[in-house]
């Protein structure tokens, strides 16, 4: 990969403002790309329209700027990319990988077992939908083979997709495109060859690699950083009421985020302008210092 230009990305869902947890992913993906003279792109993952909060995308972009995290090129919005997702679905359908499924969550909850990513779908509709009168989701067939990849931080990972996840949904019965498909289509479109994101997406990676293979797209390199959890071990998220980042005073959160990522910014940087902190980070960033593991407690000094 050394002769190739690195292209990383940050792909927030606009369901609320950025918080300390999402800042980790933004900062780590930014620095990993920039210190290797790479590009860094931003994609707004607003494909799940009912979860989109009006104004959140703009606010996220303003926060990134306030934190000195400037991106290259145009921001990609998933809500504007339906044609591309339908094109990918058509490609998979033509190759025989898709089938409609009318099974309800209730039926799954009653009869399916839990795997790496929720209920393992046992393939009831593989040979024809169970309830033709119901709206159908589209599932992709999993295969009985193991997907392997090496995460730069978490090491060797493998998943037996059919046994651990089952055939998974690419388009919901309400027509909404699933994250797994959108992310693969968009990473390919944006030429992303380096994915740095939270470890909560580690279990999604084999599904994404599988789709890349079916769609004949390259597989990026992956680095999953520990997610930030609260004292109860729950991931910080908009849903659990994590505080929005302060756009007026980025220093404290930026330096705390760097420390969380295993870096050692001098204490006095906490009140420096964002650009100064990013400059420091750019010169001192050492990805080998990012702590291993899937989760870490939020620092108190935030
Ligand atoms: N949109 C996802 C999130 O906010 C991140 C997707 C990704 O990085 O692949 O959790
Ligand atoms: Zn079904």
């Amino acid at each position: 990969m050394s002769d190739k230009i690195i292209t990383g990305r940050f792909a927030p869902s606009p369901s609320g403002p950025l918080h300390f947890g999402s800042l980790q992913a933004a900062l780590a993906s930014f620095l990993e790309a920039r210190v290797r003279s790479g590009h860094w792109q931003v994609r707004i993952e607003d494909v799940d329209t009912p979860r989109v909060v009006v104004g959140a995308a703009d606010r996220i972009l303003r926060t990134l700027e306030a934190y000195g995290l400037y991106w290259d090129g145009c921001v990609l919005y998933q809500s504007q990319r339906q044609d591309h997702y339908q094109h990918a679905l058509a490609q998979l359908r033509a190759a025989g990988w898709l089938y409609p499924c009318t099974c309800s969550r209730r039926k799954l909850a009653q009869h399916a077992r839990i795997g790496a990513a929720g209920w393992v779908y046992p393939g009831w509709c593989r040979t024809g939908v169970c309830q033709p009168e119901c709206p159908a989701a589209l599932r992709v067939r999993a295969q009985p083979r193991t997907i392997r990849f090496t995460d730069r931080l978490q090491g060797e990972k493998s998943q037996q997709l059919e046994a651990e996840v089952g055939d998974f949904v690419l388009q919901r019965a309400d027509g909404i495109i699933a994250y797994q498909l959108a992310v693969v289509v968009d990473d390919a479109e944006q030429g992303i060859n380096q994915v740095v994101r939270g470890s909560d997406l580690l279990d999604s990676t084999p599904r994404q690699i599988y789709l890349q293979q079916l769609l004949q797209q390259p597989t990026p390199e992956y680095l999953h950083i520990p997610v930030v959890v609260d004292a109860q071990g729950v991931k910080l998220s908009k849903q659990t009421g994590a505080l929005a980042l302060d756009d007026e005073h980025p220093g404290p959160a930026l330096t705390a985020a760097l420390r969380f990522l295993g870096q050692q910014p001098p204490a006095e940087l906490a009140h420096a302008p964002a650009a100064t902190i990013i400059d420091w980070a750019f010169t001192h960033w050492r990805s080998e210092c990012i702590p291993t593991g899937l989760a870490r407690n939020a620092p108190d000094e935030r």
Side-chain angles (χ1 to χ4, degrees):
M1 217 180 316
S2 52
D3 53 344
K4 209 156 74 190
I5 294 180
I6 293 289
T7 304
R9 51 46 160 206
F10 176 54
S13 308
S15 50
L18 292 185
H19 52 79
F20 188 73
S22 35
L23 178 61
Q24 309 298 318
L27 189 60
S29 62
F30 174 89
L31 289 167
E32 267 305 295
R34 292 293 191 222
V35 298
R36 293 157 85 188
S37 309
H39 299 303
W40 186 68
Q41 309 212 349
V42 171
R43 175 167 80 230
I44 298 291
E45 300 216 316
D46 55 357
V47 73
D48 189 353
T49 38
R51 292 188 51 216
V52 169
V53 171
V54 177
D58 284 345
R59 185 157 173 206
I60 288 171
L61 297 176
R62 296 297 79 77
T63 300
L64 290 174
E65 288 170 337
Y67 279 66
L69 302 172
Y70 295 99
W71 56 90
D72 293 306
C74 296
V75 174
L76 203 73
Y77 289 82
Q78 290 190 327
S79 54
Q80 295 169 8
R81 296 184 38 77
Q82 286 303 322
D83 294 357
H84 297 79
Y85 307 140
Q86 289 304 329
H87 187 264
L89 285 176
Q91 197 181 328
L92 293 170
R93 189 181 289 111
W97 293 113
L98 295 190
Y99 65 89
C101 167
T102 54
C103 298
S104 63
R105 276 171 190 277
R106 208 164 127 226
K107 181 172 169 189
L108 278 167
Q110 281 166 355
H111 303 286
R113 65 190 167 79
I114 293 274
W119 312 111
V120 178
Y121 182 67
W124 292 310
C125 291
R126 267 191 176 194
T127 50
V129 288
C130 307
Q131 288 172 285
E133 70 284 4
C134 294
L138 285 176
R139 287 187 188 270
V140 61
R141 280 172 209 274
Q143 292 168 52
R145 64 181 169 93
T146 304
I147 306 280
R148 294 176 205 283
F149 67 102
T150 306
D151 185 273
R152 284 180 48 213
L153 188 66
Q154 311 290 346
E156 305 290 319
K157 293 282 154 192
S158 66
Q159 199 176 63
Q160 221 282 16
L161 212 54
E162 192 182 40
E164 294 181 54
V165 176
D167 302 342
F168 54 100
V169 170
L170 298 187
Q171 182 171 31
R172 295 180 352 199
D174 61 6
I176 288 181
I177 296 292
Y179 156 73
Q180 308 293 351
L181 179 67
V183 80
V184 167
V185 170
D186 293 345
D187 279 344
E189 166 95 14
Q190 292 183 291
I192 304 301
N193 51 20
Q194 175 180 272
V195 172
V196 178
R197 59 186 177 187
S199 66
D200 53 321
L201 291 165
L202 203 53
D203 281 341
S204 287
T205 307
R207 271 171 283 172
Q208 294 171 15
I209 292 175
Y210 181 60
L211 290 177
Q212 287 154 7
Q213 293 172 353
L214 296 184
L215 291 165
Q216 282 133 31
Q217 302 290 3
T219 292
E221 58 169 54
Y222 288 99
L223 193 166
H224 287 85
I225 60 172
V227 292
V228 191
V229 294
D230 65 17
Q232 283 72 45
V234 178
K235 183 194 164 205
L236 287 199
S237 71
K238 298 141 195 167
Q239 288 72 33
T240 59
L243 292 182
L245 294 171
D246 180 354
D247 288 0
E248 305 297 322
H249 304 100
L254 257 184
T255 46
L258 284 168
R259 269 197 291 281
F260 186 90
L261 291 166
Q263 318 298 307
Q264 296 176 331
E268 62 273 18
L269 266 190
H271 300 286
T276 310
I277 300 170
I278 295 295
D279 272 353
W280 180 91
F282 185 77
T283 340
H284 295 87
W285 176 248
R286 294 181 62 195
S287 55
E288 63 277 19
C289 293
I290 303 174
T292 51
L294 298 177
R296 294 190 68 211
N297 282 100
D300 298 331
E301 71 258 60
R302 175 157 61 100

